[in-house]
Amino acid sequence: GENVEQHPSTLSVQEGDSAVIKCTYSDSASNYFPWYKQELGKRPQLIIDIRSNVGEKKDQRIAVTLNKTAKHFSLHITETQPEDSAVYFCAASNYWGNDMRFGAGTRLTVKP
Amino acid sequence: DTAVSQTPKYLVTQMGNDKSIKCEQNLGHDTMYWYKQDSKKFLKIMFSYNNKELIINETVPNRFSPKSPDKAHLNLHINSLELGDSAVYFCASSQVRAPGNEQFFGPGTRLTVL
């Protein structure tokens, strides 16, 4: 089955700096790679996703890159703000997105 | 009008009891899920139901049984509760007939077994 590893487990940055979170996956059949943000006491919510036929996707301050050959993908957050503080989860799934395996999460703290 | 709702939000019970958590989605999705999030925040899939049919059943003890009366509901029944069952349980739903399938999560149910 799919195994997703996520690093680092905690990340602290100064407001305005960039943050990068990296994930690797094991199943070459995985096709869909979403990123979820979970604020304290809240539900996980999708912030960006990417499919295996795309190498990079950007949405304002967040971007995701995918290297299918190396089986790794990364989340990049630029110009971080205190409200970016949360736990971020990467995930990998099949084409239909119904067999999602999550990484262990990264607790991001943005210091004002 | 909440997309995915769960009840109760908090559940405190004694070891050995049987309890249920209810989940409803009003998004018209065809697939629903149950996840367990433990104290270390690790999020793990337990069950996946598509059109009332179980399609994924991870290595979950058979004390846990999902029940789907219709496409919009997926309830979780837990028998003979144990201390290790304490966690936050999230219900989610998605549409898997086409690609691009965000899973929408419910607010979670925090289960505490004493």
Side-chain angles (χ1 to χ4, degrees):
Chain A
E2 177 64 273
N3 182 43
V4 179
E5 304 223 346
Q6 182 171 347
H7 300 279
S9 57
T10 59
L11 179 58
S12 183
V13 299
Q14 210 61 41
E15 184 178 357
D17 288 350
S18 294
V20 180
I21 303 171
K22 298 183 179 184
C23 288
T24 60
Y25 62 98
S26 60
D27 189 348
S28 55
S30 288
N31 186 280
Y32 175 62
F33 306 93
W35 286 87
Y36 282 80
K37 176 183 180 182
Q38 186 178 26
E39 296 176 356
L40 189 62
K42 300 283 183 66
R43 74 191 78 191
Q45 291 191 290
L46 182 76
I47 54 170
I48 196 167
D49 56 13
I50 193 167
R51 292 205 167 270
S52 60
N53 59 346
V54 175
E56 184 174 354
K57 185 175 177 182
K58 194 171 179 181
D59 183 4
Q60 298 182 2
R61 294 186 300 107
I62 59 173
V64 59
T65 58
L66 170 66
N67 183 328
K68 198 163 161 60
T69 304
K71 297 203 202 74
H72 64 71
F73 55 115
S74 301
L75 177 72
H76 304 253
I77 307 174
T78 58
E79 299 171 33
T80 53
Q81 302 166 2
E83 49 266 39
D84 294 330
S85 296
V87 178
Y88 290 81
F89 292 95
C90 63
S93 181
N94 57 16
Y95 179 80
W96 303 107
N98 64 344
D99 184 12
M100 206 172 306
R101 309 298 162 141
F102 284 86
T106 297
R107 184 176 299 280
L108 173 65
T109 303
V110 180
K111 298 180 205 171
Chain B
D1 53 0
T2 308
V4 183
S5 58
Q6 292 176 232
T7 54
K9 190 168 173 61
Y10 299 97
L11 185 53
V12 181
T13 188
Q14 298 285 338
M15 259 192 331
N17 284 351
D18 303 338
K19 290 293 177 186
S20 295
I21 306 171
K22 294 186 177 181
C23 178
E24 177 181 0
Q25 55 97 2
N26 63 7
L27 298 166
H29 288 164
D30 59 6
T31 304
M32 296 183 71
Y33 313 83
W34 277 106
Y35 288 88
K36 177 180 180 181
Q37 186 170 46
D38 61 25
S39 57
K40 294 183 180 178
K41 300 296 184 188
F42 191 65
L43 201 57
K44 186 171 181 183
I45 191 167
M46 299 173 70
F47 301 104
S48 171
Y49 252 78
N50 177 266
N51 283 326
K52 295 175 61 180
E53 183 182 344
L54 181 67
I55 54 174
I56 291 176
N57 179 0
E58 286 299 294
T59 50
V60 175
N62 58 13
R63 298 183 295 104
F64 290 79
S65 55
K67 293 209 173 13
S68 181
D70 55 58
K71 257 176 53 169
H73 296 83
L74 181 65
N75 303 324
L76 184 65
H77 298 272
I78 317 170
N79 295 327
S80 303
L81 278 155
E82 299 177 358
L83 293 176
D85 297 333
S86 295
V88 180
Y89 291 84
F90 285 99
C91 175
S93 73
S94 72
Q95 181 69 294
V96 299
R97 279 187 219 148
N101 328 20
E102 176 180 357
Q103 287 193 15
F104 290 82
F105 283 78
T109 295
R110 182 174 294 278
L111 170 65
T112 303
V113 183
L114 303 174

Short mmCIF file of all heavy atoms in Angstrom, two decimals, chain B residues 45 49 61 84 110:
data_model
loop_
_atom_site.label_atom_id
_atom_site.label_comp_id
_atom_site.label_asym_id
_atom_site.label_seq_id
_atom_site.Cartn_x
_atom_site.Cartn_y
_atom_site.Cartn_z
N ILE B 45 -7.10 6.82 7.36
CA ILE B 45 -8.40 6.40 6.83
C ILE B 45 -8.83 5.09 7.49
O ILE B 45 -8.01 4.20 7.75
CB ILE B 45 -8.35 6.26 5.29
CG1 ILE B 45 -9.75 6.08 4.72
CG2 ILE B 45 -7.42 5.13 4.85
CD1 ILE B 45 -9.83 6.24 3.22
N TYR B 49 -16.87 4.45 1.73
CA TYR B 49 -18.13 3.91 1.21
C TYR B 49 -18.48 4.64 -0.07
O TYR B 49 -18.52 5.86 -0.10
CB TYR B 49 -19.24 4.15 2.24
CG TYR B 49 -19.71 2.90 2.95
CD1 TYR B 49 -18.96 2.37 3.97
CD2 TYR B 49 -20.88 2.26 2.59
CE1 TYR B 49 -19.36 1.23 4.65
CE2 TYR B 49 -21.29 1.12 3.26
CZ TYR B 49 -20.54 0.61 4.28
OH TYR B 49 -20.95 -0.52 4.94
N PRO B 61 -10.23 -2.74 13.93
CA PRO B 61 -10.88 -3.83 14.69
C PRO B 61 -12.35 -3.96 14.32
O PRO B 61 -13.02 -2.95 14.02
CB PRO B 61 -10.72 -3.36 16.16
CG PRO B 61 -9.58 -2.43 16.15
CD PRO B 61 -9.57 -1.75 14.82
N GLY B 84 -7.79 3.00 24.03
CA GLY B 84 -7.07 3.36 22.81
C GLY B 84 -7.95 3.90 21.70
O GLY B 84 -7.45 4.38 20.68
N ARG B 110 -14.83 14.42 19.02
CA ARG B 110 -13.76 14.06 19.96
C ARG B 110 -14.31 13.01 20.92
O ARG B 110 -15.19 13.29 21.74
CB ARG B 110 -13.28 15.28 20.74
CG ARG B 110 -12.14 14.95 21.71
CD ARG B 110 -11.58 16.20 22.37
NE ARG B 110 -10.91 17.08 21.42
CZ ARG B 110 -9.67 16.92 20.99
NH1 ARG B 110 -8.94 15.93 21.45
NH2 ARG B 110 -9.14 17.78 20.15
#
